Amino acid sequence: MRIFSTRKLGFTLGFGAFVVISTATSTLFSHSNSEPGISEHENKNYFLTKSQISQAQIWQNPVIIPQISDLNIISPNISTSTISQGGIPVSYPVVDEWQRFKFSIQGSQVFSPAKLPTSNINFQQRDLLTVLVNTRNYFQNHADKDPTIFRRGLLGTQGVSVQDIVRTLDFMITILREDIANNRITRLKNPDFINDNFRVIKWTPHNPSDRGQKQVRITKYAVFEHTGSRTKTSTYNIPIYSLKDDQIADKFYTRYTKQDVLSGIYEPGGKEYGRVQPLAYLTRNGLEEALMQGTILINFTDGTQAFFNVDRNNGISYVRGLKATAQQRYWYFREVDGIKGYGHNINAKISIKPGVTFAGDVLNMGLGRIVVIEDTRGGRQHLQMGVIADTGGAFLPNLYQLDFLAGTFKNRQEFTQHIRQLPEFATTYFLVKK
């Protein structure tokens, strides 16, 4: 999850002769995911069992996969005659993190067929393979719990199905494994191989507040190291909390803003004392960094260290343009084993790697979409490949921005120096296996 600036900020689907169809309220999990949102629109969610989602079935039975229909939440002002063309939807209803309809957009406004330029594509092979496998596993293991991943999203206007996305992940995983096993530079770095084997779809950003934006904005996020204490001290006096599983039935935590929490409601003498568990104590700056980035690496004063990731929020939306200390959204954390991205709960979140991970609008663009960004450095074209495997409040909805996971840094100065070499805007492409 990310909502950071520079910023940032679960399938496959099988196929079988039957599908369990359930009419329900579709839920979205924000940030790398947050508390489920409340939908104002009733959708048909098509669920598949794990047994229907094996990799073998993908190749042996490549049929169209039932998925949540985006058209079920379309604006009543849109004529159905403009909805589809040859069975492919032309218009797409963009929704926010609570799945409320915001506006409709024509796919042709955002996407067009393209070819990658001739420069080699940059990425760390093993890191990309790790994120591809972890994202693919999310589709496999959480299809029955996270209907959001069945949304075709805006790419559905280009005839791209969720099945196509999973086939793309599987193909890339196979190629990377073969090339790594043979100790060679992967074919996925060769633009000719990409152009021959993938549909390349150029993304033209749609930014309602900046109609002149021609390229996708590439913000950057990071995991920062901060010193902290396992007990409260005069220096480290701002806690991060974990919700107790036996205390959340009434969702009491949705009644309080960040400012309420900082006033001491969970501390001794506070009216909700004992309902949460303090995990660590930071400075105020450390807290704001943790809330902004979604993950923090704490170096404790006792010589130990641990990663902590956001778990659930208080249900208050992130407000773009409002300074961090004034935001009312508050996140509760859990200790994790590394950097985490998208997931419908804390235990399901995808383990991600810097340099090959983007955070983006998972609800409208989709999870597991393969992205290549192109910019010019020193007069030469530079291509970078990654996976949309994370999201955040600032990306719901957001059809003009991606957030690049830059790495783990000791401080903001180190981070700032690193990202100077990275583009602020880039020509951006989606790759879909032909």
PDB file of all heavy atoms in Angstrom, residues 18-44:
ATOM      1  N   PHE A  18     -18.531 -25.245 -14.812  1.00  0.00           N
ATOM      2  CA  PHE A  18     -19.516 -24.597 -13.969  1.00  0.00           C
ATOM      3  C   PHE A  18     -18.878 -23.459 -13.223  1.00  0.00           C
ATOM      4  O   PHE A  18     -17.684 -23.403 -13.062  1.00  0.00           O
ATOM      5  CB  PHE A  18     -20.099 -25.583 -12.961  1.00  0.00           C
ATOM      6  CG  PHE A  18     -19.086 -26.028 -11.966  1.00  0.00           C
ATOM      7  CD1 PHE A  18     -18.902 -25.345 -10.773  1.00  0.00           C
ATOM      8  CD2 PHE A  18     -18.307 -27.131 -12.239  1.00  0.00           C
ATOM      9  CE1 PHE A  18     -17.960 -25.779  -9.874  1.00  0.00           C
ATOM     10  CE2 PHE A  18     -17.357 -27.550 -11.329  1.00  0.00           C
ATOM     11  CZ  PHE A  18     -17.193 -26.887 -10.147  1.00  0.00           C
ATOM     12  N   VAL A  19     -19.715 -22.552 -12.767  1.00  0.00           N
ATOM     13  CA  VAL A  19     -19.241 -21.423 -11.988  1.00  0.00           C
ATOM     14  C   VAL A  19     -20.250 -21.160 -10.895  1.00  0.00           C
ATOM     15  O   VAL A  19     -21.437 -21.264 -11.144  1.00  0.00           O
ATOM     16  CB  VAL A  19     -19.146 -20.158 -12.837  1.00  0.00           C
ATOM     17  CG1 VAL A  19     -18.577 -19.052 -12.015  1.00  0.00           C
ATOM     18  CG2 VAL A  19     -18.341 -20.424 -14.060  1.00  0.00           C
ATOM     19  N   VAL A  20     -19.745 -20.853  -9.739  1.00  0.00           N
ATOM     20  CA  VAL A  20     -20.679 -20.487  -8.686  1.00  0.00           C
ATOM     21  C   VAL A  20     -20.942 -19.017  -8.798  1.00  0.00           C
ATOM     22  O   VAL A  20     -20.013 -18.241  -8.746  1.00  0.00           O
ATOM     23  CB  VAL A  20     -20.085 -20.800  -7.299  1.00  0.00           C
ATOM     24  CG1 VAL A  20     -21.076 -20.410  -6.211  1.00  0.00           C
ATOM     25  CG2 VAL A  20     -19.759 -22.276  -7.215  1.00  0.00           C
ATOM     26  N   ILE A  21     -22.179 -18.643  -8.990  1.00  0.00           N
ATOM     27  CA  ILE A  21     -22.508 -17.237  -9.177  1.00  0.00           C
ATOM     28  C   ILE A  21     -23.203 -16.727  -7.923  1.00  0.00           C
ATOM     29  O   ILE A  21     -24.169 -17.296  -7.481  1.00  0.00           O
ATOM     30  CB  ILE A  21     -23.416 -17.050 -10.389  1.00  0.00           C
ATOM     31  CG1 ILE A  21     -22.726 -17.611 -11.632  1.00  0.00           C
ATOM     32  CG2 ILE A  21     -23.771 -15.594 -10.562  1.00  0.00           C
ATOM     33  CD1 ILE A  21     -23.571 -17.494 -12.873  1.00  0.00           C
ATOM     34  N   SER A  22     -22.678 -15.650  -7.409  1.00  0.00           N
ATOM     35  CA  SER A  22     -23.267 -15.091  -6.200  1.00  0.00           C
ATOM     36  C   SER A  22     -23.475 -13.616  -6.378  1.00  0.00           C
ATOM     37  O   SER A  22     -22.571 -12.920  -6.773  1.00  0.00           O
ATOM     38  CB  SER A  22     -22.337 -15.328  -5.011  1.00  0.00           C
ATOM     39  OG  SER A  22     -22.789 -14.626  -3.891  1.00  0.00           O
ATOM     40  N   THR A  23     -24.678 -13.146  -6.118  1.00  0.00           N
ATOM     41  CA  THR A  23     -24.926 -11.721  -6.180  1.00  0.00           C
ATOM     42  C   THR A  23     -24.569 -11.121  -4.841  1.00  0.00           C
ATOM     43  O   THR A  23     -25.138 -11.499  -3.840  1.00  0.00           O
ATOM     44  CB  THR A  23     -26.397 -11.443  -6.491  1.00  0.00           C
ATOM     45  OG1 THR A  23     -26.703 -12.062  -7.726  1.00  0.00           O
ATOM     46  CG2 THR A  23     -26.663  -9.939  -6.570  1.00  0.00           C
ATOM     47  N   ALA A  24     -23.633 -10.206  -4.864  1.00  0.00           N
ATOM     48  CA  ALA A  24     -23.150  -9.658  -3.601  1.00  0.00           C
ATOM     49  C   ALA A  24     -22.628  -8.278  -3.807  1.00  0.00           C
ATOM     50  O   ALA A  24     -22.498  -7.813  -4.911  1.00  0.00           O
ATOM     51  CB  ALA A  24     -22.055 -10.563  -3.034  1.00  0.00           C
ATOM     52  N   THR A  25     -22.299  -7.657  -2.742  1.00  0.00           N
ATOM     53  CA  THR A  25     -21.663  -6.355  -2.821  1.00  0.00           C
ATOM     54  C   THR A  25     -20.185  -6.566  -2.971  1.00  0.00           C
ATOM     55  O   THR A  25     -19.566  -7.170  -2.131  1.00  0.00           O
ATOM     56  CB  THR A  25     -21.933  -5.545  -1.547  1.00  0.00           C
ATOM     57  OG1 THR A  25     -23.332  -5.370  -1.438  1.00  0.00           O
ATOM     58  CG2 THR A  25     -21.253  -4.196  -1.618  1.00  0.00           C
ATOM     59  N   SER A  26     -19.632  -6.066  -4.047  1.00  0.00           N
ATOM     60  CA  SER A  26     -18.210  -6.228  -4.296  1.00  0.00           C
ATOM     61  C   SER A  26     -17.433  -5.357  -3.349  1.00  0.00           C
ATOM     62  O   SER A  26     -17.802  -4.230  -3.095  1.00  0.00           O
ATOM     63  CB  SER A  26     -17.900  -5.819  -5.731  1.00  0.00           C
ATOM     64  OG  SER A  26     -16.545  -5.916  -5.981  1.00  0.00           O
ATOM     65  N   THR A  27     -16.366  -5.900  -2.811  1.00  0.00           N
ATOM     66  CA  THR A  27     -15.571  -5.127  -1.872  1.00  0.00           C
ATOM     67  C   THR A  27     -14.218  -4.819  -2.440  1.00  0.00           C
ATOM     68  O   THR A  27     -13.652  -5.574  -3.196  1.00  0.00           O
ATOM     69  CB  THR A  27     -15.371  -5.899  -0.555  1.00  0.00           C
ATOM     70  OG1 THR A  27     -14.743  -7.137  -0.855  1.00  0.00           O
ATOM     71  CG2 THR A  27     -16.695  -6.158   0.128  1.00  0.00           C
ATOM     72  N   LEU A  28     -13.687  -3.681  -2.035  1.00  0.00           N
ATOM     73  CA  LEU A  28     -12.344  -3.288  -2.445  1.00  0.00           C
ATOM     74  C   LEU A  28     -11.493  -3.114  -1.227  1.00  0.00           C
ATOM     75  O   LEU A  28     -11.933  -2.569  -0.244  1.00  0.00           O
ATOM     76  CB  LEU A  28     -12.389  -1.962  -3.187  1.00  0.00           C
ATOM     77  CG  LEU A  28     -11.013  -1.339  -3.344  1.00  0.00           C
ATOM     78  CD1 LEU A  28     -10.206  -2.152  -4.329  1.00  0.00           C
ATOM     79  CD2 LEU A  28     -11.115   0.078  -3.772  1.00  0.00           C
ATOM     80  N   PHE A  29     -10.275  -3.568  -1.339  1.00  0.00           N
ATOM     81  CA  PHE A  29      -9.374  -3.397  -0.224  1.00  0.00           C
ATOM     82  C   PHE A  29      -8.299  -2.426  -0.645  1.00  0.00           C
ATOM     83  O   PHE A  29      -7.588  -2.669  -1.573  1.00  0.00           O
ATOM     84  CB  PHE A  29      -8.757  -4.743   0.147  1.00  0.00           C
ATOM     85  CG  PHE A  29      -9.786  -5.759   0.464  1.00  0.00           C
ATOM     86  CD1 PHE A  29     -10.336  -6.553  -0.532  1.00  0.00           C
ATOM     87  CD2 PHE A  29     -10.262  -5.896   1.747  1.00  0.00           C
ATOM     88  CE1 PHE A  29     -11.303  -7.480  -0.246  1.00  0.00           C
ATOM     89  CE2 PHE A  29     -11.232  -6.827   2.038  1.00  0.00           C
ATOM     90  CZ  PHE A  29     -11.743  -7.617   1.043  1.00  0.00           C
ATOM     91  N   SER A  30      -8.187  -1.317   0.080  1.00  0.00           N
ATOM     92  CA  SER A  30      -7.310  -0.285  -0.364  1.00  0.00           C
ATOM     93  C   SER A  30      -5.997  -0.346   0.363  1.00  0.00           C
ATOM     94  O   SER A  30      -5.837  -1.014   1.322  1.00  0.00           O
ATOM     95  CB  SER A  30      -7.946   1.065  -0.163  1.00  0.00           C
ATOM     96  OG  SER A  30      -7.328   1.762   0.823  1.00  0.00           O
ATOM     97  N   HIS A  31      -5.138   0.363  -0.085  1.00  0.00           N
ATOM     98  CA  HIS A  31      -3.775   0.489   0.373  1.00  0.00           C
ATOM     99  C   HIS A  31      -3.119  -0.759  -0.008  1.00  0.00           C
ATOM    100  O   HIS A  31      -3.557  -1.636  -0.520  1.00  0.00           O
ATOM    101  CB  HIS A  31      -3.671   0.583   1.846  1.00  0.00           C
ATOM    102  CG  HIS A  31      -2.249   0.878   2.105  1.00  0.00           C
ATOM    103  ND1 HIS A  31      -1.219   0.180   1.631  1.00  0.00           N
ATOM    104  CD2 HIS A  31      -1.654   1.852   2.744  1.00  0.00           C
ATOM    105  CE1 HIS A  31      -0.111   0.650   2.013  1.00  0.00           C
ATOM    106  NE2 HIS A  31      -0.331   1.667   2.662  1.00  0.00           N
ATOM    107  N   SER A  32      -2.387  -1.222   0.532  1.00  0.00           N
ATOM    108  CA  SER A  32      -1.962  -2.487   0.149  1.00  0.00           C
ATOM    109  C   SER A  32      -2.939  -3.319   0.815  1.00  0.00           C
ATOM    110  O   SER A  32      -2.778  -4.038   1.558  1.00  0.00           O
ATOM    111  CB  SER A  32      -0.716  -2.728   0.784  1.00  0.00           C
ATOM    112  OG  SER A  32       0.245  -3.067   0.352  1.00  0.00           O
ATOM    113  N   ASN A  33      -3.736  -3.141   1.223  1.00  0.00           N
ATOM    114  CA  ASN A  33      -5.134  -2.987   1.324  1.00  0.00           C
ATOM    115  C   ASN A  33      -5.679  -2.700   2.672  1.00  0.00           C
ATOM    116  O   ASN A  33      -5.161  -3.017   3.682  1.00  0.00           O
ATOM    117  CB  ASN A  33      -5.797  -4.178   0.800  1.00  0.00           C
ATOM    118  CG  ASN A  33      -5.761  -3.967  -0.650  1.00  0.00           C
ATOM    119  OD1 ASN A  33      -4.798  -3.436  -1.164  1.00  0.00           O
ATOM    120  ND2 ASN A  33      -6.778  -4.327  -1.294  1.00  0.00           N
ATOM    121  N   SER A  34      -6.783  -2.092   2.564  1.00  0.00           N
ATOM    122  CA  SER A  34      -7.319  -1.570   3.759  1.00  0.00           C
ATOM    123  C   SER A  34      -8.556  -2.274   4.164  1.00  0.00           C
ATOM    124  O   SER A  34      -8.824  -3.377   3.797  1.00  0.00           O
ATOM    125  CB  SER A  34      -7.627  -0.126   3.535  1.00  0.00           C
ATOM    126  OG  SER A  34      -8.685  -0.004   2.655  1.00  0.00           O
ATOM    127  N   GLU A  35      -9.346  -1.541   4.919  1.00  0.00           N
ATOM    128  CA  GLU A  35     -10.630  -2.061   5.344  1.00  0.00           C
ATOM    129  C   GLU A  35     -11.523  -2.133   4.120  1.00  0.00           C
ATOM    130  O   GLU A  35     -11.493  -1.266   3.279  1.00  0.00           O
ATOM    131  CB  GLU A  35     -11.225  -1.081   6.359  1.00  0.00           C
ATOM    132  CG  GLU A  35     -12.433  -1.595   7.072  1.00  0.00           C
ATOM    133  CD  GLU A  35     -12.121  -2.717   8.031  1.00  0.00           C
ATOM    134  OE1 GLU A  35     -10.957  -3.051   8.185  1.00  0.00           O
ATOM    135  OE2 GLU A  35     -13.061  -3.256   8.597  1.00  0.00           O
ATOM    136  N   PRO A  36     -12.343  -3.165   4.012  1.00  0.00           N
ATOM    137  CA  PRO A  36     -13.239  -3.253   2.867  1.00  0.00           C
ATOM    138  C   PRO A  36     -14.120  -2.033   2.743  1.00  0.00           C
ATOM    139  O   PRO A  36     -14.627  -1.522   3.731  1.00  0.00           O
ATOM    140  CB  PRO A  36     -14.074  -4.504   3.175  1.00  0.00           C
ATOM    141  CG  PRO A  36     -13.217  -5.317   4.081  1.00  0.00           C
ATOM    142  CD  PRO A  36     -12.440  -4.318   4.896  1.00  0.00           C
ATOM    143  N   GLY A  37     -14.283  -1.559   1.516  1.00  0.00           N
ATOM    144  CA  GLY A  37     -15.122  -0.402   1.287  1.00  0.00           C
ATOM    145  C   GLY A  37     -16.579  -0.791   1.189  1.00  0.00           C
ATOM    146  O   GLY A  37     -16.917  -1.951   1.041  1.00  0.00           O
ATOM    147  N   ILE A  38     -17.456   0.177   1.291  1.00  0.00           N
ATOM    148  CA  ILE A  38     -18.885  -0.069   1.198  1.00  0.00           C
ATOM    149  C   ILE A  38     -19.358   0.349  -0.178  1.00  0.00           C
ATOM    150  O   ILE A  38     -19.177   1.485  -0.587  1.00  0.00           O
ATOM    151  CB  ILE A  38     -19.639   0.720   2.272  1.00  0.00           C
ATOM    152  CG1 ILE A  38     -19.151   0.275   3.659  1.00  0.00           C
ATOM    153  CG2 ILE A  38     -21.136   0.531   2.144  1.00  0.00           C
ATOM    154  CD1 ILE A  38     -19.727   1.074   4.785  1.00  0.00           C
ATOM    155  N   SER A  39     -19.958  -0.563  -0.908  1.00  0.00           N
ATOM    156  CA  SER A  39     -20.386  -0.277  -2.268  1.00  0.00           C
ATOM    157  C   SER A  39     -21.790   0.274  -2.297  1.00  0.00           C
ATOM    158  O   SER A  39     -22.658  -0.140  -1.542  1.00  0.00           O
ATOM    159  CB  SER A  39     -20.323  -1.565  -3.099  1.00  0.00           C
ATOM    160  OG  SER A  39     -20.865  -1.347  -4.367  1.00  0.00           O
ATOM    161  N   GLU A  40     -22.023   1.218  -3.192  1.00  0.00           N
ATOM    162  CA  GLU A  40     -23.364   1.732  -3.409  1.00  0.00           C
ATOM    163  C   GLU A  40     -24.025   1.026  -4.582  1.00  0.00           C
ATOM    164  O   GLU A  40     -25.138   1.316  -4.952  1.00  0.00           O
ATOM    165  CB  GLU A  40     -23.312   3.234  -3.709  1.00  0.00           C
ATOM    166  CG  GLU A  40     -22.831   4.051  -2.521  1.00  0.00           C
ATOM    167  CD  GLU A  40     -22.816   5.526  -2.828  1.00  0.00           C
ATOM    168  OE1 GLU A  40     -23.054   5.883  -3.986  1.00  0.00           O
ATOM    169  OE2 GLU A  40     -22.579   6.311  -1.914  1.00  0.00           O
ATOM    170  N   HIS A  41     -23.317   0.111  -5.191  1.00  0.00           N
ATOM    171  CA  HIS A  41     -23.820  -0.564  -6.384  1.00  0.00           C
ATOM    172  C   HIS A  41     -23.780  -2.057  -6.156  1.00  0.00           C
ATOM    173  O   HIS A  41     -22.797  -2.594  -5.671  1.00  0.00           O
ATOM    174  CB  HIS A  41     -22.966  -0.211  -7.603  1.00  0.00           C
ATOM    175  CG  HIS A  41     -22.792   1.253  -7.778  1.00  0.00           C
ATOM    176  ND1 HIS A  41     -23.683   2.026  -8.469  1.00  0.00           N
ATOM    177  CD2 HIS A  41     -21.837   2.096  -7.321  1.00  0.00           C
ATOM    178  CE1 HIS A  41     -23.279   3.284  -8.444  1.00  0.00           C
ATOM    179  NE2 HIS A  41     -22.180   3.349  -7.764  1.00  0.00           N
ATOM    180  N   GLU A  42     -24.815  -2.732  -6.501  1.00  0.00           N
ATOM    181  CA  GLU A  42     -24.856  -4.178  -6.365  1.00  0.00           C
ATOM    182  C   GLU A  42     -24.282  -4.815  -7.605  1.00  0.00           C
ATOM    183  O   GLU A  42     -24.689  -4.531  -8.715  1.00  0.00           O
ATOM    184  CB  GLU A  42     -26.303  -4.634  -6.162  1.00  0.00           C
ATOM    185  CG  GLU A  42     -26.401  -6.111  -5.801  1.00  0.00           C
ATOM    186  CD  GLU A  42     -27.826  -6.525  -5.501  1.00  0.00           C
ATOM    187  OE1 GLU A  42     -28.619  -6.578  -6.458  1.00  0.00           O
ATOM    188  OE2 GLU A  42     -28.143  -6.783  -4.331  1.00  0.00           O
ATOM    189  N   ASN A  43     -23.268  -5.686  -7.423  1.00  0.00           N
ATOM    190  CA  ASN A  43     -22.624  -6.355  -8.543  1.00  0.00           C
ATOM    191  C   ASN A  43     -22.846  -7.844  -8.472  1.00  0.00           C
ATOM    192  O   ASN A  43     -23.068  -8.404  -7.409  1.00  0.00           O
ATOM    193  CB  ASN A  43     -21.108  -6.113  -8.511  1.00  0.00           C
ATOM    194  CG  ASN A  43     -20.786  -4.666  -8.652  1.00  0.00           C
ATOM    195  OD1 ASN A  43     -21.492  -3.950  -9.331  1.00  0.00           O
ATOM    196  ND2 ASN A  43     -19.717  -4.225  -7.998  1.00  0.00           N
ATOM    197  N   LYS A  44     -22.723  -8.519  -9.616  1.00  0.00           N
ATOM    198  CA  LYS A  44     -22.685  -9.974  -9.624  1.00  0.00           C
ATOM    199  C   LYS A  44     -21.233 -10.389  -9.541  1.00  0.00           C
ATOM    200  O   LYS A  44     -20.440 -10.089 -10.408  1.00  0.00           O
ATOM    201  CB  LYS A  44     -23.317 -10.528 -10.904  1.00  0.00           C
ATOM    202  CG  LYS A  44     -24.837 -10.422 -10.910  1.00  0.00           C
ATOM    203  CD  LYS A  44     -25.394 -11.120 -12.127  1.00  0.00           C
ATOM    204  CE  LYS A  44     -26.921 -11.072 -12.122  1.00  0.00           C
ATOM    205  NZ  LYS A  44     -27.482 -11.738 -13.316  1.00  0.00           N
TER     206      LYS A  44
END
